[in-house]
Amino acid sequence: MRSFGRFALVLAAFLALVAWGASELFNRQAFAWAERDLAMRARFALEGARPALAGASPAEARRVLDALVLDERLMAASLCLPDGATLVRTFGYPAGFACGRLPPEALSAAAAGWDRTAEGTSGTVHVTALPVGGAADRRVLVLVHDMSFVDRRAETTRLYTFVAFALVGLVGAVAAAAAARLSWISWTTQLRRMITAPFRAAGQFTTPRRFQPLVADVRDLLATLAAEDAKAGATWTPERLRHVLRRNLGGEGVIVVANREPYIHERGADGTIHVTRPASGLVTALEPVMRACSGTWIAHGSGSADRETVDRRDHVRVPPGQEAYDLRRVWLSREEEQGFYYGLSNEGLWPLCHMVHARPEFRSRDWETYRRVNARFAETVAEEADGPDPIVLVQDYHFALLPRYLRERLPRATIITFWHIPWPTAERFGICPWEREVLEGLLGSTVVGFHTQAHCNNFLESVDRFLESRIDRERHSVVVGGRETLVRPYPISVEWPSHWAAETAPAAECRAEVRRQLGLAPDVLLGVGVDRLDYTKGIEERLLAVELLLERHPAWRGRFTFVQLAAPSRTVIPAYRELNDRVAALATRVNDRFARDGWLPIVLLRRHHEPPAIFRMYRAADLCYVSSLHDGMNLVAKEFVAARDDLRGVLVLSRFTGAARELSEALIVNPYDVEAAATALATALSMPPEEQEDRMRAMRAMLSELNVYRWAGKMLLDATRTRRKDRLATRLSPGPGAAP
Ligand code: ADQ
């Protein structure tokens, strides 16, 4: 606005100068016209009066002169003789122009006439002296015209000229300002479009020359971030993640929203409160990230002593004893938990997204509860946010609607949503009765992440099929309603190095201890499975493979035991209770079939285990079998590799896990093909130590690079780029008060 003021002032000064010059020019011209006009009038007056003046006595001549001065412009008249004598003059004739004071050339009867403009006592006058004429007539008629009308006309002219120029100036200034404004808007709009929407296919968009320097600057900025991202060989560590937050996100803490809390306070049978860590891949991955980043983790407070351990704002600092971040608990009623968690999330979306032939159940009352709970969590995030643009990490299928709700409340928030489970094909996704709402909800995010490119592709196909949108497959983004959401793969992982592995005893000790615990003979090899009791994990297929191994390879009877750690999960849902019963019955059947002399082929431990016990089991085992029928990633496979710093042990891994794409040195199997799986178990059990080491070394090298800090760091860097672009675009946006 300041520069517009300056522009208007300069324009006004320029126009005033032009107006003054123009009026001066015009007045000078008008004055000359007036002089010529009066000289002519004087001659016409003489022509008219000459007959009356011919031979007139002084009294008669006076009457003629009096008649002449009736003309409003003619002030006075006199008749002079060439010697300067006055014959007659009208009343009030100005003394300054008396006959005696006129120059001799004015009174020369022979002259053709004499004209002068002069300053009289009452203003400018025009004096004309004309010989009356005739053979013996030596009289000269002197006429004094009043020229004040010329001054008055000049004043008026000046005034009109100024008014006219002022109006022209005003209209010009408004037009110029409007043109400047329009061109600013079009300039910034084009620039913004270039910065915020570079989502056209290559070649479709060329940067106009005038924008090239600016766009180059923006690209430099983004390249700096990319360089940060691609630091040659740099491994992601908690420090590097913190550095990214500090450097690119101003050190802001993050807000995580997840249904599951990382620490649950439970009151035991003895009345004391103890803390447990849930059996959840999400928690396994996110917890080290939060320890590195700090901030707030918002989750459903589900423990029996959770309410007793929070402060007045429902906060508790965690991890206990090594406090690094806040846990904010949200309370759900039993009905809410039923509709939101068990109903829509786990009976609807979970089977919808997994190819496990389980029928998704969608009930509209569950959907209503799901919406309500998502809105409540969005409200909680807004409460926890320090400013208008927090960094929020939304976790999983429990919160598909939250990104949009949050975007409505905090339009400038950076929302990174990670979907921990697979995304189904568009065809299958169409089973969901609220497919549009789910997609629109997720697209409130800045970034939507999946484990694999295949899940991203399925998501983009679903968006394409169900929403009015623009999909840029090169940039991996979706634009809906002018907002861009990046849709990219970020394979999740575990911390590296694993602090649980570091705290676990060496492999030999673990082997000895576990064998003692399970009562296994020293020559018995050990297989391990670690899962939540979930029908997607293929636990039945796993036990069937063990059964078939013993059937086809009798040499392993009495020499191989498979331990299954199975954490009860979602037991409110009938399908999970039925699975629990089936798994137990199957283990019993196999044991009944092959058990001998105190040896059991299958040890089923259906309870929650804390990480130290799980890591001890990983280290004690000769093989780990992950047989998921469909799994987003599967962190058990990665934990097993992280635990094996002795480079021993074989991983047998289902090809239907995301992990199989990275851990290619595992023995990859189709868990439905029980024959092939049994053969893979036999191969694992007889694999030479050197081959085990080679495979394990390669997998550990991969894991040390692709760890969970990289997962979080990559997402934060992608979000940072968008955040910077958005901030730049906001600054350029032609909002109210924006200056040209
Ligand atoms: P989950 O389905 O929970 O995760 P997963 O990745 O296998 O699956 O992680 C399970 C976690 O629970 C592991 O950390 C494991 O140690 C722990 N766990 C398993 N059995 C346990 C037991 N008996 N007692 C205690 N803890 C136990 C979802 C997706 C996955 C994805 C993760 C992370 O289904 O595909 O890998 O999120 O994105």
Side-chain angles (χ1 to χ4, degrees), residues 477-633:
S477 72
V478 177
V479 180
V480 173
R483 270 207 71 263
E484 187 186 26
T485 300
L486 301 183
V487 178
R488 303 212 169 147
Y490 304 96
I492 208 165
S493 195
V494 291
E495 59 172 343
W496 185 276
S498 159
H499 79 284
W500 294 119
E503 288 166 20
T504 305
E509 264 179 54
C510 291
R511 288 175 73 84
E513 193 181 331
V514 167
R515 265 149 228 281
R516 196 171 48 248
Q517 244 177 29
L518 300 178
L520 302 181
D523 64 335
V524 171
L525 297 191
L526 184 67
V528 67
V530 179
D531 310 80
R532 286 184 303 102
L533 246 170
D534 193 294
Y535 52 76
T536 61
K537 302 294 180 184
I539 300 172
E540 291 169 274
E541 286 73 8
R542 194 177 309 167
L543 301 188
L544 288 173
V546 171
E547 182 182 35
L548 197 61
L549 165 80
L550 299 175
E551 194 178 301
R552 296 280 154 84
H553 303 271
W556 290 111
R557 293 180 197 168
R559 288 192 51 231
F560 172 62
T561 291
F562 191 84
V563 181
Q564 176 65 48
L565 309 191
S569 181
R570 306 170 191 169
T571 45
V572 168
I573 299 173
Y576 284 76
R577 285 202 302 274
E578 289 158 16
L579 171 78
N580 180 53
D581 296 345
R582 283 201 309 273
V583 167
L586 183 54
T588 306
R589 195 191 80 198
V590 176
N591 284 342
D592 287 349
R593 194 171 160 199
F594 296 106
R596 67 180 188 210
D597 309 328
W599 168 79
L600 281 179
I602 292 173
V603 176
L604 179 61
L605 301 175
R606 276 179 297 162
R607 61 169 187 272
H608 181 85
H609 291 73
E610 284 298 299
I614 294 177
F615 272 73
R616 196 164 46 242
M617 195 61 78
Y618 288 143
R619 264 202 188 155
D622 296 285
L623 70 84
C624 174
Y625 182 20
V626 172
S627 55
S628 306
L629 305 179
H630 200 192
D631 217 334
M633 176 55 69

Side-chain angles (χ1 to χ4, degrees), residues 42-57:
R43 278 164 181 79
F44 285 146
L46 173 61
E47 285 307 315
R50 188 174 276 137
L53 286 175
S57 67

Side-chain angles (χ1 to χ4, degrees), residues 213-229:
L214 188 53
V215 170
D217 283 352
V218 175
R219 293 210 173 118
D220 278 355
L221 188 72
L222 298 181
T224 315
L225 280 170
E228 171 82 51
D229 189 13

Side-chain angles (χ1 to χ4, degrees), residues 110 363 652 675:
R363 292 177 285 262
V652 182
E675 293 269 357

Side-chain angles (χ1 to χ4, degrees), residues 307-328:
R307 283 181 193 263
E308 298 168 54
T309 43
V310 291
D311 63 14
R312 276 189 320 185
R313 293 173 52 237
D314 296 328
H315 280 225
V316 56
R317 292 284 290 168
V318 289
Q322 300 165 357
E323 288 75 11
Y325 62 95
D326 275 327
L327 170 58
R328 160 80 192 264

